[in-house]
């Protein structure tokens, strides 16, 4: 099985067994069942993994889950570029196409290889991406290939986020520190959270 399929299987498992009952149900978010071809299309073209409904409100969501060994990190990550991809129009990754309203980021209480033993999240956050996009457009969140390891607050009111490279050379990503989002712009940057603040 390819690494992607294993990652997809992990994400799907955590979504169904943990995220739906522990994150979305308390918010009264009900998952909208989409046609498989449409779900695949919005994932590839718009970076949307799931769509939820709460009354008349529709919420589109990008999800990413991590295993317990990442519990000391306070950021969520967005895939940035895939420059080694042989297909040139696939070099720009999630960051360039993402249109989801929210980003759900969670760290489970087990190792990835033992995710069937996970019972909860050590931490999770639903980030309001509309507000993040606004900060990116204003350069209040700034992506920099500065060889740093973590985000930092610069000039007292901006977040500088480093570009990080996966060790296998497949892609790059950048972290955004969730605590910095709240510190600079308030808890309205999040819909819900556990363990980050």
């Amino acid at each position: 099985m390819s690494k992607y399929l294993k990652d997809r299987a992990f994400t799907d498992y955590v979504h169904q067994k943990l995220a739906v009952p522990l994150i979305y149900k308390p918010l009264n978010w009900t998952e909208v069942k989409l046609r498989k071809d449409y779900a695949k299309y919005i994932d590839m073209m718009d970076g949307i993994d799931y769509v939820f409904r709460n009354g008349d409100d529709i919420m589109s969501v990008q999800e990413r889950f991590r295993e317990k060994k990442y519990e000391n990190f306070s950021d969520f990550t967005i895939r940035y570029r895939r420059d080694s991809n042989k297909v040139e129009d696939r070099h720009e990754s999630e960051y360039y196409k993402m249109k989801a309203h929210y980003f759900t980021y969670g760290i489970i209480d087990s190792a990835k290889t033992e995710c069937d033993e996970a019972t909860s999240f050590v931490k999770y956050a639903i980030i309001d991406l509309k507000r993040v996009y606004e900060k990116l457009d204003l350069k209040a969140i700034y992506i920099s290939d500065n060889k740093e390891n973590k985000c930092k607050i610069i000039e007292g009111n901006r977040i500088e986020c480093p570009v990080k490279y996966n060790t296998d050379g497949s892609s790059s990503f950048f972290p955004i520190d969730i605590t910095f989002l709240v510190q600079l712009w308030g808890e309205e940057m999040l819909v819900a959270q556990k363990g980050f603040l």
Side-chain angles (χ1 to χ4, degrees):
M1 184 182 283
S2 74
K3 186 173 188 293
Y4 172 77
L5 291 176
K6 287 180 185 174
D7 285 346
R8 183 80 255 165
F10 168 74
T11 298
D12 290 345
Y13 181 85
V14 173
H15 170 79
Q16 288 299 328
K17 299 297 182 184
L18 298 174
V20 168
L22 300 176
I23 297 176
Y24 301 120
K25 188 174 181 182
L27 295 172
N28 294 316
W29 289 18
T30 304
E31 188 175 335
V32 175
K33 299 298 179 194
L34 304 172
R35 283 190 346 253
K36 284 187 179 182
D37 60 333
Y38 181 66
K40 184 177 179 180
Y41 176 82
I42 62 173
D43 181 21
M44 289 178 57
M45 303 306 291
D46 299 329
I48 294 171
D49 292 326
Y50 296 99
V51 176
F52 294 88
R53 177 184 293 275
N54 181 355
D56 292 334
D57 295 329
I58 301 291
M59 292 77 65
S60 58
V61 174
Q62 168 74 242
E63 286 185 341
R64 181 141 317 114
F65 300 118
R66 296 282 185 252
E67 61 186 317
K68 190 176 189 308
K69 72 179 184 179
Y70 294 100
E71 69 181 313
N72 293 325
F73 289 86
S74 59
D75 51 39
F76 73 104
T77 58
I78 297 177
R79 292 184 191 105
Y80 191 47
R81 298 193 56 83
R82 298 178 186 277
D83 290 325
S84 61
N85 195 303
K86 293 176 184 173
V87 181
E88 191 172 334
D89 67 355
R90 293 186 186 163
H91 287 192
E92 293 182 344
S93 193
E94 188 176 84
Y95 166 71
Y96 296 93
K97 65 182 180 180
M98 198 161 51
K99 295 178 184 166
H101 298 123
Y102 302 100
F103 197 115
T104 299
Y105 193 80
I107 299 170
I108 64 171
D109 64 351
S110 76
K112 190 177 203 175
T113 54
E114 300 166 345
C115 68
D116 56 335
E117 296 177 18
T119 59
S120 67
F121 290 95
V122 174
K123 54 173 70 170
Y124 70 80
I126 300 177
I127 299 101
D128 187 335
L129 283 179
K130 293 169 286 191
R131 295 179 187 273
V132 171
Y133 301 148
E134 178 184 289
K135 300 302 181 189
L136 283 161
D137 289 344
L138 294 170
K139 304 287 190 244
I141 297 175
Y142 176 74
I143 303 164
S144 174
D145 198 354
N146 61 9
K147 312 296 187 241
E148 296 284 336
N149 284 322
K150 295 183 177 182
C151 295
K152 58 185 175 183
I153 295 177
I154 58 172
E155 300 164 9
N157 62 355
R158 297 172 71 202
I159 302 174
E160 183 176 21
C161 302
V163 176
K164 306 292 294 171
Y165 295 88
N166 287 312
T167 54
D168 63 3
S170 63
S171 63
S172 62
F173 62 92
F174 64 93
I176 300 178
D177 193 298
I178 292 168
T179 62
F180 291 173
L181 290 177
V182 173
Q183 181 181 334
L184 292 181
W185 301 299
E187 290 192 29
E188 62 269 16
M189 297 298 291
L190 307 178
V191 173
Q193 71 85 32
K194 169 193 167 185
F196 278 101
L197 304 179

